[in-house]
Amino acid sequence: MKKTAPAPRTLDGGPAQHDGRTRQSVARLLLEQGPITAAAIAEALGLSPAAVRRHLDALVADGEAGTRDAPRRGDRGRGRPARLFLLTEAGRARFGHAYDDLAIAALRFLAENGGEQAVRAFAERRVATLVDRHRAAVTGQSDPVARAQALAAALTREGYAASTRGVGAGEQLCQHHCPVAHVAAEFPELCEVETAAFASLLGTHVQRLATIANGDAVCTTHVPLANAPKAIAPPVPDGGKSE
């Protein structure tokens, strides 16, 4: 009797039809934690390194991911530096953009008829609406670092995939996704007003170090520790431009 061939399986042991879900999980990790190594992805998702490399190779081949060399720290010998993976703009499109074309057209019309101040007023109204939903949860915290962590949680609920980490003389608030990045690339007032709103909400001056709208991998905002000198600001983490 002729045997039925078994269904094809992926390198991580799952059925072929699960490939799409696994690749989406890899892409989401790139979104939330990129730039990141293949080994770190494998560990986070519980996949084999071979399986992760296959999905990463597919994302790179489709133009949805890119690579860069990890920065060298200390004496690591003459070996090739580890490769970091991050999403391209095409890869970010997997997670949607907020009606970019319509928004840009509307803001252009607003700028033409009301000038730059009208665009800024719109940006302030938009950010105020977003911030007010979470104001009590953020301002109820005791210090700027705790407030930054609460703000990151609030921004994540709003679709910004945000996180914080301690760096040098403060905390860095990292937004790994920006639903309006394409719009903000043409209208930087959106980023400027957002930064001012963060400072007001956190109760301290902040410094915007990088933005996705400007081509960086992550929107990064430095939040200083209490009583830290204003002039101190650490370098952008894993930062630099997307390829």
Side-chain angles (χ1 to χ4, degrees):
M1 177 182 293
K2 185 177 180 180
K3 293 183 179 180
T4 302
R9 301 181 69 81
T10 63
L11 291 178
D12 58 357
Q17 59 265 33
H18 291 171
D19 254 11
R21 284 198 294 258
T22 303
R23 191 156 302 158
Q24 184 73 0
S25 296
V26 171
R28 179 165 289 281
L29 204 63
L30 292 178
L31 171 72
E32 295 179 350
Q33 298 187 28
I36 187 172
T37 65
I41 295 172
E43 181 178 359
L45 297 180
L47 300 174
S48 69
V52 168
R53 282 194 296 271
R54 183 167 63 83
H55 288 296
L56 287 171
D57 286 346
L59 289 169
V60 170
D62 290 340
E64 294 187 31
T67 65
R68 70 162 68 111
D69 289 340
R72 291 183 180 275
R73 292 185 174 89
D75 184 11
R76 295 182 54 183
R78 297 183 179 180
R80 182 177 178 179
R83 278 203 305 171
L84 298 174
F85 293 83
L86 65 161
L87 288 183
T88 63
E89 280 302 312
R92 291 180 187 279
R94 277 179 173 259
F95 303 94
H97 293 289
Y99 302 104
D100 290 348
D101 292 342
L102 178 61
I104 289 173
L107 284 176
R108 285 174 180 166
F109 179 83
L110 190 62
E112 290 169 2
N113 290 273
E116 180 181 338
Q117 190 54 43
V119 175
R120 184 168 294 274
F122 168 81
E124 289 171 349
R125 173 69 64 86
R126 174 186 172 274
V127 170
T129 300
L130 184 151
V131 164
D132 285 347
R133 289 197 288 269
H134 307 283
R135 184 176 298 278
V138 176
T139 58
Q141 302 302 315
S142 59
D143 60 79
V145 171
R147 286 195 286 272
Q149 293 167 349
L151 177 57
L155 289 169
T156 294
R157 291 194 291 273
E158 296 288 346
Y160 288 81
S163 62
T164 62
R165 69 182 205 171
V167 177
E171 196 84 356
Q172 284 190 346
L173 174 65
C174 300
Q175 296 158 254
H176 300 272
H177 182 52
C178 177
V180 295
H182 290 168
V183 183
E186 181 167 343
F187 295 95
E189 292 90 346
L190 295 177
C191 295
E192 295 165 4
V193 167
E194 182 182 85
T195 303
F198 286 175
S200 175
L201 197 60
L202 297 174
T204 183
H205 72 279
V206 301
Q207 182 180 0
R208 184 58 67 88
L209 303 178
T211 64
I212 293 171
N214 196 42
D216 298 291
V218 180
C219 293
T220 308
T221 304
H222 176 64
V223 182
L225 296 174
N227 302 319
K230 287 188 177 183
I232 296 177
V236 180
D238 303 322
K241 301 289 185 178
S242 303
E243 294 180 355

